[in-house]
Amino acid sequence: MKYETFNPQIHDTSKVARLVYDVDFRTFDMLFKNKSKAIATIEKDLYKRELDDYFKVVLDENHNVIGILIIYTSKTSHKFYFKSLKLLIVDILDYFVLCDIEKDDFYIAEIAIDDSLRGKGIGKKVLLDSIEYARKKGYARVILDADFRNAGAKALYERLGFKVFNKKRLKIGSFERGMNNMELVL
């Protein structure tokens, strides 16, 4: 398994777009009402991104994309660029429920593994590699979010030593989104 900075010129953008969709499919489905349209919009957006070290693809031994890893620290920020209105709305909704990044935090914003490979320990390996990287770089804690509706992810994070330090919820009409903000003190 290998990690590379995502580059739409060399990596499978269609696969990456599906993985981005998988992380937040409920919100994308609410906004787009159509999975294919959501994925197509995400893929188009991927070509607008600058090459940023925070957006990694996870590759297998044949250089195929098998997952994504998006990370931030207090020194790296989500770069603003023109995107579709619906993707901008996703960013705005995220703002209200995701972890606040403090000094010396290593924030795992997104991990997604190809659905055909889930349950094989790849996601856990990505998490452990990320924790080890953060530890070597001297970060004080690793933080991430577990959707209230994703008990499996929360349980995995807890098995690795993460603890809930905050809960955030956003409700607009019938739409509701909530996250367990979790930390692992290093």
Side-chain angles (χ1 to χ4, degrees):
M1 194 164 62
K2 180 178 170 185
Y3 303 92
E4 287 183 1
T5 299
F6 170 68
N7 182 338
Q9 304 307 319
I10 61 172
H11 298 116
D12 182 348
T13 56
S14 176
K15 177 70 151 285
V16 172
R18 285 191 308 274
L19 291 165
V20 170
Y21 168 85
D22 286 349
V23 172
D24 203 4
F25 69 91
R26 291 175 185 96
T27 303
F28 288 122
D29 287 351
M30 183 219 29
L31 290 170
F32 286 91
K33 309 286 189 232
N34 178 304
K35 178 179 178 177
S36 298
K37 185 164 175 51
I39 292 171
T41 303
I42 294 165
E43 184 173 7
K44 185 177 175 185
D45 179 70
L46 290 171
Y47 284 99
K48 295 179 184 177
R49 291 178 180 261
E50 294 178 22
L51 297 183
D52 284 310
D53 204 36
Y54 69 84
F55 192 132
K56 303 289 188 189
V57 288
V58 183
L59 305 171
D60 67 11
E61 63 278 351
N62 297 317
H63 210 70
N64 297 311
V65 174
I66 60 170
I68 60 168
L69 170 66
I70 301 176
I71 54 171
Y72 296 105
T73 68
S74 62
K75 295 175 184 143
T76 58
S77 62
H78 190 73
K79 293 200 169 95
F80 180 78
Y81 58 93
F82 183 74
K83 55 174 62 178
S84 83
L85 178 60
K86 289 180 180 177
L87 292 180
L88 183 60
I89 290 170
V90 172
D91 284 350
I92 291 167
L93 294 173
D94 283 350
Y95 173 81
F96 291 102
V97 295
L98 300 182
C99 286
D100 296 319
I101 305 170
E102 297 179 10
K103 185 178 183 289
D104 297 325
D105 282 346
F106 184 85
Y107 175 52
I108 300 174
E110 293 185 14
I111 291 180
I113 303 302
D114 182 272
D115 57 357
S116 69
L117 299 171
R118 291 183 191 148
K120 299 180 189 263
I122 296 170
K124 181 178 178 181
K125 171 86 169 104
V126 171
L127 275 168
L128 291 172
D129 288 350
S130 298
I131 292 165
E132 185 57 28
Y133 175 85
R135 185 174 279 119
K136 284 181 181 176
K137 292 293 184 179
Y139 289 97
R141 68 181 184 158
V142 176
I143 58 174
L144 49 72
D145 304 291
D147 190 297
F148 287 168
R149 297 165 293 192
N150 193 343
K154 183 177 181 271
L156 170 62
Y157 303 150
E158 288 173 335
R159 282 193 304 275
L160 295 176
F162 285 86
K163 298 193 182 326
V164 174
F165 70 93
N166 193 20
K167 293 182 180 189
K168 292 184 179 179
R169 180 182 314 263
L170 174 68
K171 184 166 175 52
I172 302 171
S174 64
F175 175 78
E176 185 172 1
R177 186 161 184 221
M179 294 288 176
N180 292 292
N181 301 150
M182 302 181 76
E183 68 180 351
L184 175 67
V185 177
L186 300 177

